């Protein structure tokens, strides 16, 4: 056999060699869960009833609260809320129904999609991501900067969700 006909075995080993060149994460790959759906605007009952009274109605079986999400799920759901209703700066809720990050979090907390403790952890994850990029201001002040774009907001929330998910939250 001539040396010119021997490339076939080398081609068979090429994929195995190529897998060593790929960059893989340190831990096992996990599937990213689908983002939770953005809830509808709260009903008048959800807006007017104080949370303790609503919790009492839940205990009596007269009200059904949604399952609260972990911080990573809350951050992902915040993205879907902003995509559904629109994003704004300088106001929690604009007259047209758009929201800033904090407004979307308020909506999710008011409708029972997140607990105050999980929301606080989500805020910590957002602040951590901002600090990695040299931003020392609170996330809601960063949201309101005049040059801010929704793509930056989306990136912040996505990175914060991955940060939370990486530690099991």
């Amino acid at each position: 056999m001539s040396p010119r006909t021997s490339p076939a075995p080398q081609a068979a080993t090429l994929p195995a060699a190529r897998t060593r060149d790929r960059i893989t994460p340190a831990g096992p790959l996990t599937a990213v869960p689908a983002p939770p759906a953005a809830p509808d605007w709260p009903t008048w009952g959800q807006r007017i009833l104080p949370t303790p009274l609503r919790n009492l109605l839940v205990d009596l079986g007269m009200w059904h609260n949604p399952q609260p999400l972990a911080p990573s799920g809350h951050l992902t759901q915040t993205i879907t809320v902003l995509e559904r209703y629109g994003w704004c700066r300088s106001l929690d809720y604009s007259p047209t129904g758009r929201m800033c990050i904090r407004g979307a979090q308020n909506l999710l907390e008011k409708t029972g999609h997140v607990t105050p403790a999980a929301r606080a952890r989500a805020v910590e994850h957002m602040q951590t991501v901002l600090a990695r990029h040299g931003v020392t201001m609170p996330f809601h002040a960063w949201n309101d900067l005049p040059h801010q774009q929704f793509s930056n907001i989306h990136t912040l929330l996505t990175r914060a969700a991955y940060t939370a998910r990486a530690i099991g939250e």
Side-chain angles (χ1 to χ4, degrees):
M1 201 181 261
S2 72
R4 294 182 190 188
T5 58
S6 61
Q10 290 174 354
T13 59
L14 186 60
R18 201 176 263 173
T19 58
R20 282 185 248 132
D21 296 338
R22 291 186 184 148
I23 298 172
T24 57
L29 293 175
T30 58
V32 177
D40 292 328
W41 275 101
T43 63
W44 280 106
Q46 289 171 322
R47 290 184 212 169
I48 294 173
L49 288 178
T51 303
L53 179 58
R54 201 171 70 213
N55 290 339
L56 176 65
L57 293 173
V58 167
D59 293 342
L60 296 172
M62 300 171 69
W63 189 281
H64 178 67
N65 275 334
Q67 180 67 32
L69 295 173
S72 62
H74 168 63
L75 289 162
T76 306
Q77 192 174 34
T78 302
I79 294 170
T80 60
V81 167
L82 293 174
E83 288 172 344
R84 178 175 178 184
Y85 295 110
W87 169 76
C88 71
R89 58 176 86 79
S90 301
L91 298 169
D92 282 358
Y93 305 100
S94 76
T96 60
R98 294 172 172 252
M99 299 174 218
C100 71
I101 298 172
R102 189 169 56 185
Q105 289 186 307
N106 289 342
L107 171 74
L108 293 171
E109 186 175 345
K110 185 66 178 169
T111 56
H113 287 85
V114 66
T115 63
R119 178 182 174 177
R121 289 291 300 149
V123 168
E124 289 175 21
H125 291 299
M126 284 190 288
Q127 290 300 141
T128 300
V129 170
L130 287 173
R132 282 188 208 142
H133 291 82
V135 178
T136 57
M137 64 180 66
F139 76 94
H140 49 85
W142 178 83
N143 178 92
D144 295 345
L145 293 174
H147 67 276
Q148 203 57 267
Q149 302 278 328
F150 180 67
S151 60
N152 297 334
I153 302 300
H154 192 282
T155 301
L156 166 67
L157 292 169
T158 302
R159 288 184 180 171
Y162 276 105
T163 302
R165 196 172 294 119
I167 61 170
E169 290 186 344

